[in-house]
Amino acid sequence: QQQVKQSPQSLIVQKGGIPIINCAYENTAFDYFPWYQQFPGKGPALLIAIRPDVSEKKEGRFTISFNKSAKQFSLHIMDSQPGDSATYFCAARTRQFYFGTGTSLTVIP
Amino acid sequence: KAGVTQTPRYLIKTRGQQVTLSCSPISGHRSVSWYQQTPGQGLQFLFEYFSETQRNKGNFPGRFSGRQFSNSRSEMNVSTLELGDSALYLCASSLILGDYEQYFGPGTRLTVT
């Protein structure tokens, strides 16, 4: 059973566009929601994270929106660049991390 | 500061064999977690070690085991390999047990034929 459901599976946007990746969860015990970025041949790297008492967090061009009542959170990438082309994973943590299945993002120049 | 290192990077084994993968955490990090990454399932938690003790375990069969040494380096072992064990095995290190920030290594790509 997938504890964190992620969509879409893949996404193609033009340079400068704003891709949005969504995740949903059921377990209200989750207390930390990170996003990871993974390039081919590399391990995932922590991008940005949020706690459930905050509705939005921005770091550079990356923004997490968190809706506690809907049990959903999303990643927005402002002014996307070809270098942002990667696979993005959402995750949630209780005693361990549970990951979404990933979104492959392609930013076309 | 050097990142998480994993050896070997690539491995090809035959069904029924066993394999040992190694992970060296970031200097000063004492917690090591292992994950299996496959295209269909994404990243799935295997286990977490801290102070040479397994502290948390995911939902994997007993064929998957691990250990941690006094210098925080960790190994994971998979016995009686099955075709379905083909995956990227990732190690992540954290400063302490329960730390929210974890740093991943590049992974070991295991292929079982």
Side-chain angles (χ1 to χ4, degrees):
Chain A
Q1 181 188 0
Q2 197 70 32
Q3 294 259 2
V4 180
K5 296 182 180 178
Q6 183 172 347
S7 63
Q9 188 174 358
S10 62
L11 194 52
I12 301 174
V13 300
Q14 296 278 355
K15 177 183 174 182
I18 306 175
I20 300 173
I21 305 170
N22 301 298
C23 286
Y25 65 96
E26 286 297 326
N27 188 348
T28 56
F30 289 142
D31 63 356
Y32 178 73
F33 301 88
W35 285 89
Y36 290 85
Q37 179 188 57
Q38 185 177 28
F39 293 104
K42 305 284 189 182
L46 179 62
L47 198 57
I48 185 173
I50 198 167
R51 307 258 181 168
D53 54 347
V54 177
S55 61
E56 185 176 276
K57 183 174 181 180
K58 292 182 182 180
E59 285 188 7
R61 296 185 293 108
F62 300 92
T63 298
I64 298 179
S65 297
F66 189 86
N67 186 329
K68 189 174 181 178
S69 60
K71 297 178 193 171
Q72 295 176 347
F73 59 110
S74 59
L75 176 70
H76 301 230
I77 305 176
M78 313 302 284
D79 187 28
S80 59
Q81 301 295 315
D84 296 329
S85 297
T87 300
Y88 292 82
F89 293 92
C90 62
R93 184 192 163 99
T94 51
R95 292 184 63 216
Q96 68 185 60
F97 284 92
Y98 296 89
F99 285 80
T101 49
T103 295
S104 176
L105 171 67
T106 302
V107 181
I108 300 170
Chain B
K1 185 184 278 190
V4 178
T5 58
Q6 293 187 244
T7 56
R9 292 293 311 276
Y10 303 91
L11 208 48
I12 299 175
K13 290 286 187 178
T14 305
R15 270 183 303 174
Q17 289 185 314
Q18 74 163 16
V19 67
T20 299
L21 312 181
S22 180
C23 171
S24 292
I26 292 172
S27 177
H29 284 199
R30 296 172 57 200
S31 178
V32 173
S33 297
W34 288 89
Y35 295 85
Q36 181 192 66
Q37 184 176 18
T38 58
Q41 298 294 321
L43 280 88
Q44 293 189 289
F45 173 76
L46 281 156
F47 26 65
E48 180 176 19
Y49 284 86
F50 179 77
S51 291
E52 302 176 63
T53 303
Q54 187 181 95
R55 303 295 179 143
N56 206 358
K57 188 178 190 301
N59 189 26
F60 278 82
R63 300 185 297 107
F64 292 82
S65 62
R67 59 178 175 167
Q68 186 181 35
F69 303 95
S70 58
N71 60 358
S72 296
R73 191 178 68 85
S74 179
E75 289 180 348
M76 69 162 282
N77 184 79
V78 188
S79 62
T80 319
L81 283 165
E82 301 177 359
L83 294 178
D85 297 333
S86 294
L88 181 67
Y89 289 89
L90 292 160
C91 166
S93 79
S94 304
L95 266 174
I96 56 173
L97 181 68
D99 195 350
Y100 287 95
E101 291 193 10
Q102 55 180 358
Y103 299 85
F104 284 88
T108 294
R109 172 72 63 185
L110 172 64
T111 302
V112 182
T113 62

